[in-house]
Amino acid sequence: MPNGKAKDRFLKPLVADYEELLGRFQQTESVRFEEFTAIWRNMGFSSVFYGSLAGNEMREFCHLTLTMAFNYFLPPYSFQIRVGGLYLLYGLYHTQLASPKEKIRIALKDWEQIQKFYQDSVNSQHYDAVYIIRKLIAENAVLYTAMPQMLTFRVKKKPQHHKVCEEFRDRPERVKDLISTDMLQEVANIQGHHERLKASVLERSSIAVTQQDLPARLHSCVLEFLHWQDRHENHGDADHLVYAEEKAQQVESSNRAQLLASIKTKSYGCLAEASRSRRHRQVEMDTSISGTGYIKQAPKYHKSRAPSLKARTNKNLCGEGDEQKIQYWLLSAAEEDKTALKRQKRKHSFRW
């Protein structure tokens, strides 16, 4: 597979040949397929695949040729150049030497433009372009993809930026086509005839219904519009780059502000309320003394402990205060009974 330097070596001559072919096709001022094939045969464009490449290198080169040719099939090129780009794709697909044939990648974002181009061709009755599109789809020569280029995991690839050829760009020239030299001459003749009729009919020829210098004013407006169009196209790309850089800086600043705000929120949100045993360590601000901040410590106090089991038992059995309520258990005996029992034991011992 050719590396990046090899691709750059193939890319510049390939683009030059494409622009030469499409430039000649543009000079024909036609969108017929027979005009394109005549130029194709005259230039011997099928020999673009002849060389010492083989195997994977040939497949990679065929992929590169189709990818670069597909750029001329999309806006901002004019309709004639887009038709030429379609014919170029058709010719390259059928003359490539890769087996099986490398397919034409059409990304999802470009499919809407292709459908619009197909509908315009049908409405304009350019059946050559309609036939080529339907034939490529019928031959399964199109590979519908999500991205224009193949993506590889963790592999850095140099992006291929297509430089738009200004000669092929679709410029809105309706004003120039409308206000042509012949039309201005016709307007001048009509205005002169109108002035002569007005002078012959009206005695007061000073009445001016139309402007005397109408053709000159129209010509001046057309020139001013064309100059403005050139300036706008020259500075459009630079303005777009400046706007993109400013937008990127704004997004970066906004992301940084949001990140700092989230860090602060997490930091202050982790502060827990002090436990009761440590609240005496907190300080309080006493502002009641002469309006100044007087810091004093909170009064210390000890946490009251729960009474022990022995204390609770004495309290339940003996009661509170000096007076004790003596309660006898069922298995306990009074002191008198104990004394009588001891005396009885002594008598029995004397008898033995």
Side-chain angles (χ1 to χ4, degrees):
M1 184 177 293
N3 53 17
K5 294 183 179 179
K7 287 184 179 180
D8 295 338
R9 180 167 56 89
F10 295 144
L11 186 60
K12 293 182 179 180
L14 193 62
V15 171
D17 292 341
Y18 286 169
E19 292 182 355
E20 177 66 22
L21 176 64
L22 294 176
R24 294 185 183 184
F25 181 68
Q26 187 181 26
Q27 293 176 1
T28 61
E29 298 181 355
S30 173
V31 293
R32 301 280 76 86
F33 184 67
E34 58 181 357
E35 299 288 345
F36 181 85
T37 53
I39 301 173
W40 177 283
R41 295 190 186 96
N42 187 18
M43 295 182 62
F45 216 83
S46 300
S47 61
V48 70
F49 296 105
Y50 297 165
S52 59
L53 298 178
N56 293 334
E57 293 182 352
M58 175 57 70
R59 177 166 297 278
E60 184 68 17
F61 179 73
C62 293
H63 174 76
L64 180 63
T65 56
L66 294 174
T67 301
M68 298 307 300
F70 184 75
N71 294 322
Y72 297 96
F73 185 44
L74 298 175
Y77 292 113
S78 62
F79 182 81
Q80 185 186 10
I81 296 300
R82 294 182 65 182
V83 172
L86 175 64
Y87 296 160
L88 179 61
L89 287 172
Y90 181 79
L92 292 174
Y93 176 77
H94 286 281
T95 56
Q96 62 176 310
L97 300 180
S99 180
K101 292 183 179 296
E102 187 72 17
K103 296 184 178 182
I104 303 171
R105 294 175 61 92
I106 297 181
L108 180 62
K109 67 180 185 65
D110 301 328
W111 183 244
E112 183 178 358
Q113 296 291 341
I114 295 175
Q115 287 181 326
K116 185 178 179 181
F117 174 83
Y118 176 81
Q119 191 62 38
D120 293 341
S121 300
V122 173
N123 296 336
S124 303
Q125 298 182 357
H126 297 311
Y127 297 121
D128 295 2
V130 175
Y131 172 78
I132 295 298
I133 294 177
R134 295 179 66 89
K135 186 171 179 60
L136 287 175
I137 296 176
E139 292 179 349
N140 198 19
V142 176
L143 182 62
Y144 303 97
T145 60
M147 302 296 294
Q149 297 180 358
M150 186 180 299
L151 303 180
T152 308
F153 181 66
R154 289 185 177 178
V155 175
K156 295 182 179 180
K157 292 185 177 181
K158 183 179 179 181
Q160 298 178 358
H161 298 288
H162 176 70
K163 185 178 180 181
V164 179
C165 182
E166 296 297 334
E167 297 179 357
F168 300 158
R169 185 187 290 271
D170 184 16
R171 300 179 60 182
E173 297 181 350
R174 296 180 181 179
V175 176
K176 183 179 178 181
D177 296 338
L178 179 63
I179 311 296
S180 61
T181 305
D182 297 337
M183 195 273 292
L184 291 176
Q185 184 66 31
E186 187 67 21
V187 170
N189 296 334
I190 293 174
Q191 186 176 14
H193 182 66
H194 172 73
E195 294 295 335
R196 289 192 298 269
L197 290 177
K198 184 176 63 174
S200 62
V201 173
L202 299 177
E203 297 179 356
R204 300 176 61 184
S205 60
S206 60
I207 299 176
V209 181
T210 59
Q211 296 181 0
Q212 299 293 330
D213 56 345
L214 180 60
R217 291 173 66 88
L218 289 176
H219 182 68
S220 177
C221 291
V222 172
L223 292 178
E224 184 179 357
F225 172 76
L226 293 178
H227 290 318
W228 172 84
Q229 189 180 34
D230 294 336
R231 291 195 304 269
H232 180 72
E233 290 182 354
N234 293 333
H235 296 287
D237 297 337
D239 295 340
H240 179 71
L241 293 175
V242 172
Y243 174 77
E245 292 178 357
E246 293 178 354
K247 193 68 176 178
Q249 292 178 359
Q250 292 178 1
V251 171
E252 184 178 0
S253 301
S254 177
N255 294 337
R256 181 177 178 83
Q258 292 179 1
L259 179 61
L260 293 176
S262 62
I263 292 175
K264 290 181 180 180
T265 303
K266 291 180 180 179
S267 300
Y268 291 116
C270 294
L271 293 178
E273 185 180 0
S275 60
R276 294 183 179 180
S277 61
R278 295 186 178 182
R279 286 181 180 175
H280 64 279
R281 299 182 183 179
Q282 298 179 356
V283 297
E284 297 179 354
M285 182 69 70
D286 187 4
T287 58
S288 61
I289 302 177
S290 66
T292 59
Y294 174 73
I295 300 176
K296 68 175 183 179
Q297 293 184 352
K300 297 182 180 180
Y301 62 91
H302 297 282
K303 183 178 179 181
S304 58
R305 299 177 61 183
S308 62
L309 178 61
K310 181 178 179 181
R312 293 198 302 272
T313 304
N314 292 334
K315 180 180 179 181
N316 294 332
L317 296 179
C318 301
E320 298 179 357
D322 298 336
E323 298 180 356
Q324 297 181 357
K325 297 180 180 180
I326 301 176
Q327 298 180 358
Y328 298 97
W329 298 93
L330 296 177
L331 298 180
S332 62
E335 293 294 335
E336 295 81 0
D337 296 338
K338 293 180 179 180
T339 304
L341 183 59
K342 289 179 180 180
R343 291 177 181 178
Q344 188 176 3
K345 287 181 181 181
R346 289 176 183 177
K347 288 180 181 181
H348 289 289
S349 62
F350 289 153
R351 290 177 183 179
W352 289 100

